[in-house]
Amino acid sequence: MSVLVDCSELNKSYGRKQVLTKLNMKVESGRIIGLLGPNGSGKTTLIKILSGVLKKDSGEVSIMGLPIGIETKKIVSYLPERTYFSPSMKVKETLDFFEDFYKDFNRQTAEEMLGRLEISTESKIKELSKGTREKVQLVLVMSREAKLYLLDEPMGGVDPAARDYILRTILSNYNPEASIIISTHLISDVEKVLDEVVFVKNGQIVLQETVDQIRDKHQKSVDGLFREVFAC
């Protein structure tokens, strides 16, 4: 496996508040990684830098050896924490948007997933519940044939019964040569699909290990180790 994401001495601040401090991280292709940490640890900021939404202050960051920019946006599929479509848009218009904007978008895949979720493409975004809006956005993101998927709280507003379906959607709709970075607080729900975890604390990586290493070395689940490392 080759290095897909490479962050070196990455720094980012908002005014006087330092959010990322000399952060170093490498992610190989073909991995599902849990990006885990308490609120305010820098997870969303890191994801936004990788997606190209935010600019770093200093340090180096690349995806497939490319600096963050137009070329990396072509191979990165990003799910933000909040939905961003106009409430007046119909679901089918969001499909049109993705089809026009992303060459790697597979409309047939998206329509099939929406059908399995019983979400009508004629529905307007404003008519959908918060959880259903999040499902629509996840379907769109996972219907791209990207090299890197960045999912920021993909199950935050979804009921427990739908989480397993969403995890199956994530697993079955990404290129096996790609990687997925999932930021979430629902650790026990996603642990079963993760290959690797990255713990972020105060803008730095404090642990990066495979799930098997955590179970063998620490004799704990990922959720159990997280509670130990980040105990108040």
Side-chain angles (χ1 to χ4, degrees):
M1 290 181 288
S2 59
V3 174
L4 180 65
V5 177
D6 193 350
C7 300
S8 177
E9 300 292 293
L10 188 60
N11 292 286
K12 178 64 181 178
S13 63
Y14 301 118
R16 295 183 179 181
K17 180 175 176 57
Q18 192 73 24
V19 182
L20 300 180
T21 306
K22 295 184 177 180
L23 182 143
N24 295 288
M25 180 182 74
K26 292 183 188 292
V27 171
E28 295 180 336
S29 58
R31 312 287 285 172
I32 300 179
I33 297 109
L35 183 65
L36 311 175
N39 290 332
S41 59
K43 304 185 303 296
T44 292
T45 296
L46 175 57
I47 284 178
K48 285 183 176 180
I49 289 173
L50 293 174
S51 70
V53 172
L54 284 179
K55 289 188 177 181
K56 61 182 174 64
D57 290 339
S58 62
E60 300 297 328
V61 56
S62 63
I63 298 173
M64 292 186 67
L66 300 168
I68 304 301
I70 293 174
E71 292 305 312
T72 59
K73 287 183 179 182
K74 294 177 182 177
I75 57 175
V76 172
S77 193
Y78 167 50
L79 177 73
E81 189 175 6
R82 294 178 176 86
T83 56
Y84 53 82
F85 290 116
S86 168
S88 63
M89 291 179 73
K90 290 185 176 181
V91 172
K92 68 178 180 182
E93 290 174 326
T94 69
L95 297 175
D96 295 339
F97 176 84
F98 263 64
E99 191 169 36
D100 289 343
F101 207 77
Y102 300 109
K103 291 182 179 179
D104 62 1
F105 179 67
N106 189 323
R107 186 175 186 124
Q108 181 179 347
T109 297
E111 289 176 342
E112 289 174 355
M113 283 195 283
L114 290 170
R116 288 197 294 271
L117 287 167
E118 298 182 347
I119 299 173
S120 170
T121 57
E122 294 296 326
S123 298
K124 288 187 176 182
I125 298 297
K126 65 182 178 183
E127 297 171 345
L128 305 176
S129 68
K130 181 177 183 291
T132 303
R133 290 196 301 270
E134 291 184 357
K135 290 175 188 175
V136 170
Q137 198 155 295
L138 178 64
V139 164
L140 292 167
V141 166
M142 296 309 300
S143 295
R144 288 185 57 197
E145 297 172 5
K147 297 296 184 184
L148 177 65
Y149 298 85
L150 302 170
L151 311 180
D152 196 358
E153 292 293 340
M155 300 182 295
V158 177
D159 60 89
R163 288 175 191 162
D164 282 343
Y165 176 81
I166 287 174
L167 290 175
R168 290 197 303 273
T169 298
I170 292 171
L171 283 172
S172 61
N173 288 279
Y174 86 102
N175 180 348
E177 295 181 359
S179 284
I180 302 176
I181 297 177
I182 306 174
S183 172
T184 183
H185 291 105
L186 300 171
I187 301 170
S188 59
D189 285 302
V190 302
E191 181 172 346
K192 58 190 173 186
V193 305
L194 299 178
D195 297 308
E196 191 173 328
V197 296
V198 174
F199 284 0
V200 186
K201 187 176 184 179
N202 298 325
Q204 295 182 311
I205 305 297
V206 296
L207 178 143
Q208 183 172 0
E209 293 182 350
T210 68
V211 172
D212 288 341
Q213 286 172 333
I214 288 172
R215 290 170 181 157
D216 292 342
K217 185 164 78 173
H218 302 279
Q219 298 295 301
K220 295 179 184 294
S221 66
V222 172
D223 189 46
L225 183 61
F226 179 90
R227 292 172 187 269
E228 180 181 291
V229 171
F230 296 104
C232 297

